Protein backbone atom coordinates (compact mmCIF):
# COMPACT_ATOMS: atom_id res chain seq x y z
CA UNK A 1 0.00 0.00 0.00
CA UNK A 2 1.47 3.31 -1.04
CA UNK A 3 0.06 6.20 0.89
CA UNK A 4 -0.99 9.13 -1.35
CA UNK A 5 -0.37 6.91 -4.35
CA UNK A 6 -2.53 4.35 -6.17
CA UNK A 7 -2.89 0.60 -6.03
CA UNK A 8 -3.68 -1.07 -9.34
CA UNK A 9 -4.92 -4.57 -9.78
CA UNK A 10 -6.78 -6.48 -12.53
CA UNK A 11 -7.80 -10.04 -13.36
CA UNK A 12 -5.40 -12.56 -11.95
CA UNK A 13 -3.73 -14.66 -14.58
CA UNK A 14 -2.97 -18.34 -14.58
CA UNK A 15 0.50 -17.77 -13.20
CA UNK A 16 -0.76 -15.56 -10.40
CA UNK A 17 0.52 -12.52 -12.18
CA UNK A 18 -1.44 -9.40 -12.90
CA UNK A 19 -1.63 -8.86 -16.55
CA UNK A 20 -1.34 -5.37 -17.87
CA UNK A 21 -4.53 -3.65 -18.61
CA UNK A 22 -5.31 -0.38 -20.16
CA UNK A 23 -8.12 0.34 -17.53
CA UNK A 24 -6.88 -0.82 -14.08
CA UNK A 25 -9.01 -0.31 -10.90
CA UNK A 26 -7.54 2.40 -8.66
CA UNK A 27 -8.05 2.92 -4.86
CA UNK A 28 -6.79 6.10 -3.27
CA UNK A 29 -6.50 6.31 0.64
CA UNK A 30 -5.62 9.63 2.21
CA UNK A 31 -3.64 10.11 5.48
CA UNK A 32 -6.54 11.86 7.29
CA UNK A 33 -8.84 8.89 6.65
CA UNK A 34 -6.31 6.49 8.15
CA UNK A 35 -5.94 8.69 11.24
CA UNK A 36 -9.66 9.00 11.81
CA UNK A 37 -10.21 5.29 11.41
CA UNK A 38 -7.37 4.43 13.80
CA UNK A 39 -8.62 6.92 16.40
CA UNK A 40 -12.17 5.55 16.28
CA UNK A 41 -10.88 1.97 16.56
CA UNK A 42 -8.80 2.71 19.65
CA UNK A 43 -11.67 4.71 21.23
CA UNK A 44 -14.06 1.78 20.82
CA UNK A 45 -11.50 -0.61 22.33
CA UNK A 46 -10.84 1.69 25.29
CA UNK A 47 -14.52 2.25 26.08
CA UNK A 48 -15.27 -1.46 25.80
CA UNK A 49 -12.40 -2.32 28.14
CA UNK A 50 -13.57 0.27 30.68
CA UNK A 51 -17.10 -1.05 30.75
CA UNK A 52 -15.80 -4.60 31.10
CA UNK A 53 -13.61 -3.61 34.05
CA UNK A 54 -16.40 -1.77 35.87
CA UNK A 55 -18.83 -4.61 35.34
CA UNK A 56 -16.39 -7.15 36.77
CA UNK A 57 -15.40 -4.88 39.73
CA UNK A 58 -18.97 -4.12 40.72
CA UNK A 59 -19.93 -7.74 40.59
CA UNK A 60 -17.15 -8.47 43.07
CA UNK A 61 -18.31 -5.66 45.38
CA UNK A 62 -21.92 -6.77 45.31
CA UNK A 63 -20.82 -10.31 45.94
CA UNK A 64 -18.81 -9.22 49.01
CA UNK A 65 -21.64 -7.05 50.34
CA UNK A 66 -24.09 -9.86 49.97
CA UNK A 67 -21.69 -12.28 51.62
CA UNK A 68 -21.02 -9.92 54.58
CA UNK A 69 -24.67 -9.02 54.92
CA UNK A 70 -25.63 -12.65 55.07
CA UNK A 71 -22.89 -13.35 57.58
CA UNK A 72 -23.85 -10.39 59.80
CA UNK A 73 -27.50 -11.24 59.55
CA UNK A 74 -26.95 -14.79 60.65
CA UNK A 75 -24.56 -13.63 63.37
CA UNK A 76 -26.96 -11.03 64.77
CA UNK A 77 -29.79 -13.50 64.54
CA UNK A 78 -27.71 -15.98 66.46
CA UNK A 79 -26.83 -13.34 69.07
CA UNK A 80 -30.45 -12.32 69.52
CA UNK A 81 -31.52 -15.89 70.00
CA UNK A 82 -28.72 -16.67 72.44
CA UNK A 83 -29.02 -13.50 74.56
CA UNK A 84 -32.45 -12.82 76.02
CA UNK A 85 -32.96 -10.01 76.71
CA UNK A 86 -30.38 -7.86 74.87
CA UNK A 87 -28.32 -5.85 77.33
CA UNK A 88 -25.89 -2.93 77.09
CA UNK A 89 -22.32 -3.69 76.08
CA UNK A 90 -20.87 -2.53 79.38
CA UNK A 91 -22.52 -5.18 81.55
CA UNK A 92 -20.11 -7.64 83.08
CA UNK A 93 -20.33 -11.27 82.07
CA UNK A 94 -20.35 -13.78 84.90
CA UNK A 95 -21.07 -17.42 84.14
CA UNK A 96 -22.42 -16.32 80.74
CA UNK A 97 -25.23 -14.30 82.37
CA UNK A 98 -25.37 -10.61 81.45
CA UNK A 99 -26.65 -8.37 84.22
CA UNK A 100 -27.72 -4.73 84.10
CA UNK A 101 -26.48 -3.51 87.47
CA UNK A 102 -29.19 -0.96 88.21
CA UNK A 103 -31.33 -1.45 91.27
CA UNK A 104 -34.32 -0.02 89.49
CA UNK A 105 -34.05 -2.40 86.57
CA UNK A 106 -36.39 -5.40 86.92
CA UNK A 107 -33.45 -7.68 86.17
CA UNK A 108 -31.66 -6.54 89.32
CA UNK A 109 -32.39 -8.89 92.20
CA UNK A 110 -32.05 -8.20 95.89
CA UNK A 111 -28.77 -10.13 95.90
CA UNK A 112 -26.91 -8.35 93.12
CA UNK A 113 -24.38 -10.25 91.07
CA UNK A 114 -22.16 -7.19 91.37
CA UNK A 115 -21.61 -8.28 94.94
CA UNK A 116 -20.51 -11.65 93.62
CA UNK A 117 -18.39 -9.89 91.03
CA UNK A 118 -16.37 -7.91 93.54
CA UNK A 119 -13.87 -10.75 93.69
CA UNK A 120 -13.59 -10.78 89.89
CA UNK A 121 -10.95 -8.42 88.58
CA UNK A 122 -12.06 -6.38 85.59
CA UNK A 123 -8.76 -7.22 83.97
CA UNK A 124 -10.10 -10.76 83.61
CA UNK A 125 -13.18 -9.55 81.76
CA UNK A 126 -13.01 -8.94 78.04
CA UNK A 127 -13.78 -5.29 77.26
CA UNK A 128 -13.73 -3.92 73.75
CA UNK A 129 -11.40 -0.92 73.52
CA UNK A 130 -11.89 -0.41 69.79
CA UNK A 131 -12.60 2.98 68.26
CA UNK A 132 -16.31 2.27 68.38
CA UNK A 133 -16.24 1.65 72.13
CA UNK A 134 -16.71 5.26 73.29
CA UNK A 135 -18.19 6.67 76.46
CA UNK A 136 -21.23 7.66 74.39
CA UNK A 137 -21.80 4.29 72.74
CA UNK A 138 -21.33 2.42 75.99
CA UNK A 139 -23.09 4.67 78.50
CA UNK A 140 -25.65 6.87 76.74
CA UNK A 141 -28.60 4.57 77.52
CA UNK A 142 -27.66 4.53 81.20
CA UNK A 143 -27.11 8.29 81.35
CA UNK A 144 -30.42 9.25 79.76
CA UNK A 145 -32.55 6.96 81.94
CA UNK A 146 -32.72 8.62 85.36
CA UNK A 147 -33.23 6.22 88.26
CA UNK A 148 -35.99 6.62 90.81
CA UNK A 149 -33.41 6.03 93.56
CA UNK A 150 -29.74 6.85 93.77
CA UNK A 151 -26.99 5.83 96.19
CA UNK A 152 -24.66 7.96 98.34
CA UNK A 153 -20.94 7.27 98.76
CA UNK A 154 -19.18 9.09 101.61
CA UNK A 155 -15.37 8.70 101.68
CA UNK A 156 -14.54 8.83 105.38
CA UNK A 157 -11.42 8.87 107.51
CA UNK A 158 -12.02 7.40 110.94
CA UNK A 159 -11.72 9.80 113.86
CA UNK A 160 -11.43 8.73 117.50
CA UNK A 161 -14.01 11.32 118.45
CA UNK A 162 -17.52 11.30 117.07
CA UNK A 163 -17.28 13.57 114.03
CA UNK A 164 -20.08 16.13 114.16
CA UNK A 165 -19.70 16.89 110.43
CA UNK A 166 -20.89 13.45 109.32
CA UNK A 167 -23.73 13.39 111.85
CA UNK A 168 -25.14 16.73 110.74
CA UNK A 169 -24.59 15.92 107.09
CA UNK A 170 -26.89 12.87 107.41
CA UNK A 171 -29.37 14.90 109.45
CA UNK A 172 -29.53 17.54 106.71
CA UNK A 173 -30.12 14.86 104.08
CA UNK A 174 -32.92 13.53 106.27
CA UNK A 175 -34.48 16.93 106.92
CA UNK A 176 -34.72 17.96 103.28
CA UNK A 177 -35.91 14.61 101.95
CA UNK A 178 -32.83 13.37 100.11
CA UNK A 179 -32.69 10.08 102.02
CA UNK A 180 -36.21 9.23 100.84
CA UNK A 181 -34.76 8.89 97.35
CA UNK A 182 -31.68 6.86 98.30
CA UNK A 183 -31.30 3.10 98.12
CA UNK A 184 -27.99 2.67 99.97
CA UNK A 185 -25.58 4.90 101.88
CA UNK A 186 -22.01 3.63 101.64
CA UNK A 187 -19.45 4.90 104.15
CA UNK A 188 -16.17 4.00 102.50
CA UNK A 189 -13.25 3.48 104.89
CA UNK A 190 -9.56 2.78 104.36
CA UNK A 191 -9.14 -0.39 106.48
CA UNK A 192 -11.35 -3.17 107.84
CA UNK A 193 -10.28 -2.27 111.39
CA UNK A 194 -11.57 1.28 111.04
CA UNK A 195 -14.71 0.07 109.27
CA UNK A 196 -15.47 -2.20 112.25
CA UNK A 197 -15.02 0.70 114.66
CA UNK A 198 -17.35 2.81 112.56
CA UNK A 199 -19.98 0.08 112.58
CA UNK A 200 -20.13 0.34 116.38
CA UNK A 201 -21.33 3.95 116.08
CA UNK A 202 -24.22 2.87 113.90
CA UNK A 203 -24.64 -0.52 115.53
CA UNK A 204 -28.32 -0.21 116.38
CA UNK A 205 -29.31 0.67 112.84
CA UNK A 206 -27.11 -2.04 111.34
CA UNK A 207 -28.61 -4.59 113.75
CA UNK A 208 -32.14 -3.66 112.70
CA UNK A 209 -31.07 -3.83 109.08
CA UNK A 210 -29.60 -7.30 109.52
CA UNK A 211 -32.72 -8.53 111.28
CA UNK A 212 -34.86 -7.37 108.38
CA UNK A 213 -32.57 -9.08 105.90
CA UNK A 214 -32.71 -12.33 107.84
CA UNK A 215 -36.48 -12.43 107.73
CA UNK A 216 -37.99 -14.49 104.95
CA UNK A 217 -39.70 -11.99 102.67
CA UNK A 218 -42.31 -13.04 100.14
CA UNK A 219 -42.18 -11.64 96.62
CA UNK A 220 -45.19 -9.42 97.30
CA UNK A 221 -43.45 -7.86 100.30
CA UNK A 222 -40.13 -7.35 98.57
CA UNK A 223 -40.99 -3.91 97.20
CA UNK A 224 -41.83 -2.64 100.68
CA UNK A 225 -38.61 -4.07 102.06
CA UNK A 226 -36.64 -2.41 99.26
CA UNK A 227 -37.93 0.96 100.45
CA UNK A 228 -35.82 0.58 103.58
CA UNK A 229 -32.57 2.46 103.03
CA UNK A 230 -29.44 0.37 103.50
CA UNK A 231 -26.30 1.44 105.34
CA UNK A 232 -23.07 -0.26 104.33
CA UNK A 233 -19.76 0.54 106.01
CA UNK A 234 -17.07 -1.03 103.88
CA UNK A 235 -13.28 -0.86 103.61
CA UNK A 236 -11.27 -0.32 100.45
CA UNK A 237 -9.35 -3.49 101.19
CA UNK A 238 -12.54 -5.50 100.76
CA UNK A 239 -12.68 -4.35 97.13
CA UNK A 240 -9.04 -4.98 96.24
CA UNK A 241 -9.81 -7.56 93.54
CA UNK A 242 -12.42 -5.48 91.72
CA UNK A 243 -10.99 -1.97 91.82
CA UNK A 244 -8.38 -0.49 89.46
CA UNK A 245 -5.31 -0.09 91.67
CA UNK A 246 -3.92 -2.02 94.63
CA UNK A 247 -4.89 -0.53 97.99
CA UNK A 248 -1.22 -0.10 98.87
CA UNK A 249 -0.83 2.51 96.11
CA UNK A 250 -3.18 4.86 97.95
CA UNK A 251 -1.22 5.12 101.20
CA UNK A 252 -0.17 8.68 100.36
CA UNK A 253 -3.66 9.73 99.24
CA UNK A 254 -6.45 7.47 100.57
CA UNK A 255 -9.13 10.05 99.67
CA UNK A 256 -8.26 9.70 96.00
CA UNK A 257 -8.46 5.93 96.36
CA UNK A 258 -12.02 6.13 97.64
CA UNK A 259 -13.13 8.11 94.60
CA UNK A 260 -11.50 5.42 92.42
CA UNK A 261 -13.16 2.59 94.33
CA UNK A 262 -16.67 4.07 94.48
CA UNK A 263 -17.99 2.72 91.14
CA UNK A 264 -16.90 -0.80 92.16
CA UNK A 265 -18.87 -0.95 95.39
CA UNK A 266 -21.09 -4.06 95.50
CA UNK A 267 -24.60 -3.24 94.33
CA UNK A 268 -23.85 0.43 93.57
CA UNK A 269 -26.69 2.13 91.68
CA UNK A 270 -26.30 3.46 88.14
CA UNK A 271 -26.28 7.01 89.54
CA UNK A 272 -24.66 7.85 92.87
CA UNK A 273 -23.57 10.88 94.87
CA UNK A 274 -19.90 11.13 95.82
CA UNK A 275 -19.99 13.43 98.85
CA UNK A 276 -17.35 14.38 101.46
CA UNK A 277 -18.30 14.07 105.12
CA UNK A 278 -18.63 17.83 105.79
CA UNK A 279 -21.45 18.92 103.46
CA UNK A 280 -24.92 19.99 104.58
CA UNK A 281 -28.07 20.36 102.51
CA UNK A 282 -30.08 23.58 102.85
CA UNK A 283 -32.92 23.20 100.32
CA UNK A 284 -35.75 20.73 99.76
CA UNK A 285 -34.80 17.76 97.63
CA UNK A 286 -35.79 17.66 93.96
CA UNK A 287 -34.35 15.47 91.25
CA UNK A 288 -34.25 18.59 89.09
CA UNK A 289 -31.20 19.85 90.98
CA UNK A 290 -28.99 17.36 89.13
CA UNK A 291 -31.00 16.09 86.19
CA UNK A 292 -32.50 18.09 83.31
CA UNK A 293 -35.87 16.43 82.67
CA UNK A 294 -36.30 18.11 79.28
CA UNK A 295 -32.92 17.14 77.82
CA UNK A 296 -32.76 13.87 79.79
CA UNK A 297 -29.20 14.72 80.78
CA UNK A 298 -27.42 15.37 84.11
CA UNK A 299 -25.66 18.58 85.13
CA UNK A 300 -21.93 18.70 85.87
CA UNK A 301 -20.17 20.88 88.46
CA UNK A 302 -16.70 21.93 89.55
CA UNK A 303 -16.14 22.62 93.26
CA UNK A 304 -12.87 24.51 93.58
CA UNK A 305 -9.13 24.25 93.16
CA UNK A 306 -8.29 21.09 95.14
CA UNK A 307 -6.98 18.52 92.68
CA UNK A 308 -7.52 14.84 93.33
CA UNK A 309 -5.48 13.57 90.39
CA UNK A 310 -4.44 14.34 86.84
CA UNK A 311 -7.42 15.65 84.83
CA UNK A 312 -5.73 15.07 81.43
CA UNK A 313 -6.74 18.42 80.05
CA UNK A 314 -10.31 18.43 81.36
CA UNK A 315 -11.57 21.01 83.90
CA UNK A 316 -10.65 20.36 87.52
CA UNK A 317 -13.57 19.11 89.63
CA UNK A 318 -12.30 19.01 93.25
CA UNK A 319 -14.61 16.04 93.65
CA UNK A 320 -13.93 15.54 97.35
CA UNK A 321 -15.13 19.04 98.22
CA UNK A 322 -18.57 19.04 96.63
CA UNK A 323 -21.65 16.96 95.81
CA UNK A 324 -20.91 14.96 92.67
CA UNK A 325 -23.83 13.40 90.79
CA UNK A 326 -22.02 10.60 88.93
CA UNK A 327 -22.87 7.87 86.48
CA UNK A 328 -21.31 4.51 87.31
CA UNK A 329 -20.92 3.42 83.69
CA UNK A 330 -18.96 6.53 82.71
CA UNK A 331 -16.61 6.22 85.70
CA UNK A 332 -15.89 2.57 84.97
CA UNK A 333 -15.34 3.36 81.30
CA UNK A 334 -12.73 6.01 82.12
CA UNK A 335 -10.90 3.79 84.59
CA UNK A 336 -10.80 0.88 82.12
CA UNK A 337 -9.61 3.17 79.32
CA UNK A 338 -6.89 4.86 81.37
CA UNK A 339 -5.70 1.98 83.52
CA UNK A 340 -6.30 -1.13 81.42
CA UNK A 341 -6.68 0.42 78.00
CA UNK A 342 -4.45 2.53 75.77
CA UNK A 343 -2.96 4.82 78.45
CA UNK A 344 -1.79 2.12 80.89
CA UNK A 345 -1.67 4.44 83.89
CA UNK A 346 0.09 2.79 86.83
CA UNK A 347 0.11 5.63 89.39
CA UNK A 348 -3.30 6.54 90.90
CA UNK A 349 -2.27 10.19 91.20
CA UNK A 350 -2.15 10.31 87.39
CA UNK A 351 -5.92 10.00 87.13
CA UNK A 352 -8.94 11.90 88.41
CA UNK A 353 -11.67 9.65 86.99
CA UNK A 354 -14.40 12.11 87.99
CA UNK A 355 -12.78 14.99 86.08
CA UNK A 356 -12.05 12.88 83.00
CA UNK A 357 -15.52 11.31 82.96
CA UNK A 358 -17.33 14.64 83.25
CA UNK A 359 -14.98 16.16 80.67
CA UNK A 360 -15.71 13.39 78.16
CA UNK A 361 -19.45 13.54 78.82
CA UNK A 362 -19.42 17.29 78.24
CA UNK A 363 -17.44 16.84 75.03
CA UNK A 364 -19.94 14.25 73.78
CA UNK A 365 -22.91 16.52 74.69
CA UNK A 366 -24.04 14.10 77.40
CA UNK A 367 -24.29 16.83 80.05
CA UNK A 368 -27.13 19.30 80.03
CA UNK A 369 -24.58 21.90 81.10
CA UNK A 370 -21.30 22.09 82.99
CA UNK A 371 -20.91 24.75 85.71
CA UNK A 372 -17.56 25.96 86.97
CA UNK A 373 -17.22 26.80 90.65
CA UNK A 374 -18.74 30.22 91.50
CA UNK A 375 -20.68 30.21 88.23
CA UNK A 376 -24.04 31.90 88.73
CA UNK A 377 -25.58 30.18 85.73
CA UNK A 378 -27.15 27.45 87.85
CA UNK A 379 -29.35 30.06 89.52
CA UNK A 380 -31.65 29.80 86.49
CA UNK A 381 -32.37 26.12 87.23
CA UNK A 382 -35.69 25.40 88.94
CA UNK A 383 -37.10 24.81 91.49
CA UNK A 384 -34.75 26.75 93.81
CA UNK A 385 -33.23 29.27 91.40
CA UNK A 386 -30.11 29.60 93.49
CA UNK A 387 -26.48 28.54 93.30
CA UNK A 388 -25.77 24.84 93.66
CA UNK A 389 -22.79 24.86 96.02
CA UNK A 390 -20.64 26.97 98.30
CA UNK A 391 -17.45 26.17 100.17
CA UNK A 392 -17.05 27.69 103.64
CA UNK A 393 -13.55 27.45 105.14
CA UNK A 394 -13.55 28.84 108.67
CA UNK A 395 -9.78 29.33 108.44
CA UNK A 396 -10.27 31.16 105.15
CA UNK A 397 -12.56 33.95 106.27
CA UNK A 398 -15.91 32.15 106.45
CA UNK A 399 -16.69 32.71 110.14
CA UNK A 400 -20.47 32.65 110.14
CA UNK A 401 -23.34 30.81 108.41
CA UNK A 402 -25.16 34.08 107.81
CA UNK A 403 -26.10 34.50 104.19
CA UNK A 404 -26.14 30.83 103.15
CA UNK A 405 -28.56 30.58 100.18
CA UNK A 406 -27.07 27.65 98.23
CA UNK A 407 -28.48 24.12 97.98
CA UNK A 408 -25.33 22.55 99.46
CA UNK A 409 -22.58 24.05 101.61
CA UNK A 410 -19.26 22.48 102.57
CA UNK A 411 -18.28 23.67 106.08
CA UNK A 412 -14.80 22.79 107.27
CA UNK A 413 -11.81 24.23 109.09
CA UNK A 414 -10.91 25.39 112.58
CA UNK A 415 -13.67 24.91 115.13
CA UNK A 416 -15.53 22.47 112.87
CA UNK A 417 -13.25 19.72 111.56
CA UNK A 418 -11.30 17.47 113.91
CA UNK A 419 -8.21 17.49 111.67
CA UNK A 420 -7.85 21.28 112.08
CA UNK A 421 -6.60 23.03 115.22
CA UNK A 422 -9.13 23.77 117.93
CA UNK A 423 -10.87 27.15 118.12
CA UNK A 424 -13.33 27.17 121.02
CA UNK A 425 -15.19 30.32 119.98
CA UNK A 426 -15.70 29.05 116.45
CA UNK A 427 -16.69 25.60 117.65
CA UNK A 428 -19.35 27.01 119.95
CA UNK A 429 -20.74 29.24 117.21
CA UNK A 430 -20.91 26.50 114.59
CA UNK A 431 -22.12 23.78 116.95
CA UNK A 432 -25.04 26.02 117.93
CA UNK A 433 -25.91 26.62 114.26
CA UNK A 434 -25.69 22.91 113.38
CA UNK A 435 -27.91 21.93 116.31
CA UNK A 436 -30.48 24.64 115.67
CA UNK A 437 -30.59 23.91 111.94
CA UNK A 438 -30.68 20.10 112.20
CA UNK A 439 -32.08 19.11 115.61
CA UNK A 440 -33.86 15.93 114.47
CA UNK A 441 -31.67 12.77 114.35
CA UNK A 442 -31.37 10.94 111.07
CA UNK A 443 -32.77 7.44 110.74
CA UNK A 444 -29.24 6.11 111.33
CA UNK A 445 -29.09 7.45 114.88
CA UNK A 446 -30.87 6.36 118.03
CA UNK A 447 -31.66 3.03 119.64
Amino acid sequence: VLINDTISYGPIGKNGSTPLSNNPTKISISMSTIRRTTFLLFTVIAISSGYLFLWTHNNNIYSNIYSNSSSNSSSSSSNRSSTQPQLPSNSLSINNDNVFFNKNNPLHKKTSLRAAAKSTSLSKVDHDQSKEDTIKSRCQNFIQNPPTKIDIVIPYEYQKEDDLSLKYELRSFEKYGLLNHVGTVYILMDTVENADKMKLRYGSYITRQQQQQQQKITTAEEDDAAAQIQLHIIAMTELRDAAPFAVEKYEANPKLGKSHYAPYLPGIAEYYLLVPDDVVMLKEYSRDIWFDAEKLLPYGHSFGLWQGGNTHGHPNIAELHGVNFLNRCSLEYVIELCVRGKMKISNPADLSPTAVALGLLNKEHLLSRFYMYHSRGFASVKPHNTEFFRECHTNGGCKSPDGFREIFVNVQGEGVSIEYKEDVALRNRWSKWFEESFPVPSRFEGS
Side-chain angles (χ1 to χ4, degrees), residues 214-266:
Q214 289 171 357
Q215 294 174 355
K216 292 184 178 180
I217 303 172
T218 63
T219 305
E221 296 172 333
E222 190 167 351
D223 290 340
D224 293 334
Q228 175 64 42
I229 188 171
Q230 300 293 306
L231 175 66
H232 291 318
I233 300 173
I234 188 168
M236 290 170 57
T237 51
E238 298 179 72
L239 304 170
R240 66 168 64 247
D241 293 326
F245 296 106
V247 177
E248 292 74 20
K249 290 195 173 186
Y250 295 104
E251 290 179 355
N253 193 350
K255 289 184 178 180
L256 176 63
K258 290 164 187 174
S259 70
H260 282 189
Y261 274 50
Y264 299 97
L265 284 162

Side-chain angles (χ1 to χ4, degrees), residues 193-441:
E193 179 183 7
N194 286 337
D196 289 341
K197 292 177 181 178
M198 197 66 184
K199 289 175 183 178
L200 295 177
R201 295 184 183 176
Y202 296 96
S204 59
Y205 185 87
I206 294 174
T207 300
R208 294 198 309 272
Q209 177 177 288
Q210 291 173 341
Q211 290 172 346
Q212 290 175 345
Q213 292 174 345
Q214 289 171 357
Q215 294 174 355
K216 292 184 178 180
I217 303 172
T218 63
T219 305
E221 296 172 333
E222 190 167 351
D223 290 340
D224 293 334
Q228 175 64 42
I229 188 171
Q230 300 293 306
L231 175 66
H232 291 318
I233 300 173
I234 188 168
M236 290 170 57
T237 51
E238 298 179 72
L239 304 170
R240 66 168 64 247
D241 293 326
F245 296 106
V247 177
E248 292 74 20
K249 290 195 173 186
Y250 295 104
E251 290 179 355
N253 193 350
K255 289 184 178 180
L256 176 63
K258 290 164 187 174
S259 70
H260 282 189
Y261 274 50
Y264 299 97
L265 284 162
I268 189 75
E270 191 57 43
Y271 272 103
Y272 65 92
L273 299 180
L274 181 68
V275 192
D277 58 14
D278 43 19
V279 166
V280 290
M281 190 174 188
L282 300 176
K283 301 290 182 184
E284 198 68 31
Y285 173 80
S286 169
R287 191 182 67 178
D288 296 333
I289 65 178
W290 28 64
F291 198 87
D292 187 330
E294 293 184 2
K295 296 182 180 179
L296 292 180
L297 292 173
Y299 300 108
H301 296 271
S302 172
F303 303 104
L305 299 177
W306 180 87
Q307 190 166 352
N310 194 331
T311 67
H312 297 274
H314 298 287
N316 188 53
I317 301 298
E319 58 265 41
L320 293 181
H321 278 198
V323 183
N324 307 267
F325 184 61
L326 302 177
N327 172 258
R328 178 200 59 80
C329 175
S330 64
L331 268 293
E332 282 193 359
Y333 171 84
V334 165
I335 291 172
E336 291 171 32
L337 177 70
C338 295
V339 179
R340 301 186 176 97
K342 299 176 182 178
M343 300 178 70
K344 301 295 183 185
I345 290 175
S346 59
N347 181 4
D350 288 337
L351 176 63
S352 167
T354 304
V356 176
L358 289 178
L360 289 176
L361 291 178
N362 196 37
K363 182 179 179 181
E364 294 287 347
H365 307 289
L366 291 175
L367 292 180
S368 176
R369 187 172 172 184
F370 181 81
Y371 298 93
M372 294 299 293
Y373 184 48
H374 289 314
S375 168
R376 297 186 180 276
F378 192 81
S380 64
V381 176
K382 296 180 180 180
H384 300 303
N385 297 108
T386 189
E387 291 184 42
F388 184 77
F389 173 82
R390 176 179 177 179
E391 191 170 52
C392 173
H393 273 281
T394 61
N395 55 321
C398 184
K399 305 295 184 181
S400 168
D402 296 340
F404 285 169
R405 292 181 295 273
E406 296 76 12
I407 300 174
F408 295 98
V409 176
N410 179 314
V411 184
Q412 61 176 295
E414 298 168 2
V416 177
S417 308
I418 294 177
E419 60 267 29
Y420 286 84
K421 70 179 183 179
E422 182 63 12
D423 185 312
V424 177
L426 279 177
R427 177 165 290 275
N428 290 338
R429 182 187 307 164
W430 283 102
S431 295
K432 180 181 179 182
W433 179 79
F434 278 127
E435 188 59 37
E436 290 178 349
S437 300
F438 313 108
V440 180

Side-chain angles (χ1 to χ4, degrees), residues 50-64:
Y51 275 116
L52 180 62
F53 171 78
L54 290 174
W55 181 83
T56 304
H57 182 66
N58 287 340
N59 271 341
N60 289 335
I61 290 177
Y62 297 145
S63 176
N64 289 337

Side-chain angles (χ1 to χ4, degrees), residues 61-281:
I61 290 177
Y62 297 145
S63 176
N64 289 337
I65 290 174
Y66 177 78
S67 174
N68 291 339
S69 174
S70 300
S71 174
N72 292 339
S73 175
S74 62
S75 175
S76 62
S77 175
S78 173
N79 290 339
R80 284 193 296 269
S81 62
S82 62
T83 308
Q84 291 292 338
Q86 279 189 287
L87 297 171
S89 62
N90 69 314
S91 50
L92 295 179
S93 177
I94 304 173
N95 297 328
N96 298 322
D97 293 327
N98 288 322
V99 181
F100 176 9
F101 295 112
N102 188 333
K103 292 181 178 179
N104 304 300
N105 188 283
L107 296 175
H108 184 95
K109 302 302 180 184
K110 194 169 186 65
T111 303
S112 171
L113 286 185
R114 178 172 289 276
K118 70 178 182 178
S119 61
T120 303
S121 172
L122 279 179
S123 62
K124 300 175 183 177
V125 182
D126 184 23
H127 289 284
D128 181 16
Q129 292 295 342
S130 67
K131 292 182 180 179
E132 291 75 20
D133 184 29
T134 65
I135 196 168
K136 186 171 185 176
S137 65
R138 188 189 289 200
C139 302
Q140 185 171 9
N141 288 338
F142 294 105
I143 291 167
Q144 294 191 304
N145 287 280
T148 56
K149 285 198 173 185
I150 59 177
D151 287 345
I152 296 177
V153 179
I154 304 173
Y156 189 74
E157 292 185 32
Y158 178 76
Q159 307 290 344
K160 292 181 179 180
E161 302 176 43
D162 190 5
D163 192 349
L164 299 181
S165 296
L166 179 59
K167 180 174 77 172
Y168 288 114
E169 175 177 87
L170 294 174
R171 285 188 179 188
S172 76
F173 293 170
E174 187 79 77
K175 176 179 179 178
Y176 289 107
L178 172 57
L179 293 183
N180 295 332
H181 301 272
V182 171
T184 302
V185 172
Y186 296 89
I187 299 179
L188 187 51
M189 312 291 293
D190 50 354
T191 66
V192 173
E193 179 183 7
N194 286 337
D196 289 341
K197 292 177 181 178
M198 197 66 184
K199 289 175 183 178
L200 295 177
R201 295 184 183 176
Y202 296 96
S204 59
Y205 185 87
I206 294 174
T207 300
R208 294 198 309 272
Q209 177 177 288
Q210 291 173 341
Q211 290 172 346
Q212 290 175 345
Q213 292 174 345
Q214 289 171 357
Q215 294 174 355
K216 292 184 178 180
I217 303 172
T218 63
T219 305
E221 296 172 333
E222 190 167 351
D223 290 340
D224 293 334
Q228 175 64 42
I229 188 171
Q230 300 293 306
L231 175 66
H232 291 318
I233 300 173
I234 188 168
M236 290 170 57
T237 51
E238 298 179 72
L239 304 170
R240 66 168 64 247
D241 293 326
F245 296 106
V247 177
E248 292 74 20
K249 290 195 173 186
Y250 295 104
E251 290 179 355
N253 193 350
K255 289 184 178 180
L256 176 63
K258 290 164 187 174
S259 70
H260 282 189
Y261 274 50
Y264 299 97
L265 284 162
I268 189 75
E270 191 57 43
Y271 272 103
Y272 65 92
L273 299 180
L274 181 68
V275 192
D277 58 14
D278 43 19
V279 166
V280 290
M281 190 174 188

